[in-house]
Amino acid sequence: MRLVLLSAVWALTACASAPVPSVDSASPPEGTVTYLPPLVEITLVTASGLREPQSEQTETARLNLADALASAVPAEALDSSDPARARAEALAQKLDAQPDPPAPARETPAGLIALIRVEYDLESSASRLVQGGLGLMFGGIPGPDGIDQTAQIALFDPATGDLVWSHATEAPDPRDPKAAKRLINKLIAASAPNPGF
């Protein structure tokens, strides 16, 4: 009896899935944009719901996104230096600490810096097997709780580091160069409908 109750509780928690990010209603601000190196993390979600970082696959995705960004924007709009990578990581931490929704910036600067971040979970075969078994038992159980396959672009004030605007969307697999290129183009189009290049 205890096993049946535990299985039911586990199945109910598995029904909750990660929310699909909504598109921001406000239009992106106008101004020149400098793009920082894209950040990406590929993780494998195990049957128990743990996330295991996949360093080789993350590096493949990072290179694909960096190549796609380099081909999508002029060289002068891209800062791929080591300090820019460190700044991207610092801004990503700041972005995580922002209130939801973020407070709007008081004044939009003429120049902006853009951070692109992708988080892509892979579901392990053991996880699919467990979830499939639960689906047969309890009917239509989706993937494990918290599968995250999202991409975000955020624009910051370069002087203060304040968030000015952000947009999140569902991400295709960035390990595929063509999917990475489509994603970068989609994020740039969302953040700069009338880019100055």
Side-chain angles (χ1 to χ4, degrees):
M1 181 66 178
R2 193 180 316 183
L3 181 59
V4 172
L5 287 174
L6 288 174
S7 296
V9 169
W10 190 39
L12 289 174
T13 59
C15 287
S17 59
V20 175
S22 60
V23 177
D24 297 292
S25 58
S27 299
E30 293 185 13
T32 59
V33 178
T34 300
Y35 294 86
L36 300 175
L39 301 178
V40 61
E41 184 176 20
I42 306 288
T43 51
L44 180 69
V45 179
T46 65
S48 61
L50 297 175
R51 283 181 166 81
E52 297 177 353
Q54 304 294 299
S55 58
E56 288 183 15
Q57 295 186 55
T58 294
E59 182 61 14
T60 298
R62 187 191 69 77
L63 291 172
N64 287 342
L65 291 167
D67 288 347
L69 184 60
S71 67
V73 301
E76 61 272 13
L78 180 62
D79 185 354
S80 55
S81 65
D82 288 338
R85 180 173 304 284
R87 187 169 195 189
E89 290 170 1
L91 289 174
Q93 290 178 357
K94 190 170 185 178
L95 190 59
D96 288 336
Q98 288 286 332
D100 189 25
R106 290 182 297 276
E107 189 175 317
T108 302
L112 300 161
I113 52 175
L115 169 67
I116 293 174
R117 180 172 62 169
V118 179
E119 295 176 350
Y120 196 85
D121 288 341
L122 306 170
E123 191 176 358
S124 69
S125 56
S127 174
R128 283 193 297 271
L129 182 64
V130 168
Q131 295 301 321
L134 289 174
L136 290 176
M137 285 174 58
F138 299 103
I141 302 297
D145 185 21
I147 288 291
D148 187 10
Q149 296 177 340
T150 58
Q152 182 176 21
I153 185 164
L155 301 178
F156 293 87
D157 182 332
T160 64
D162 290 340
L163 178 64
V164 175
W165 179 87
S166 72
H167 170 79
T169 187
E170 190 173 347
D173 190 343
R175 298 171 300 168
D176 175 7
K178 291 181 180 177
K181 188 173 182 64
R182 285 193 307 271
L183 177 59
I184 290 293
N185 290 338
K186 181 179 179 180
L187 292 172
I188 290 173
S191 64
N194 301 302
F197 51 82

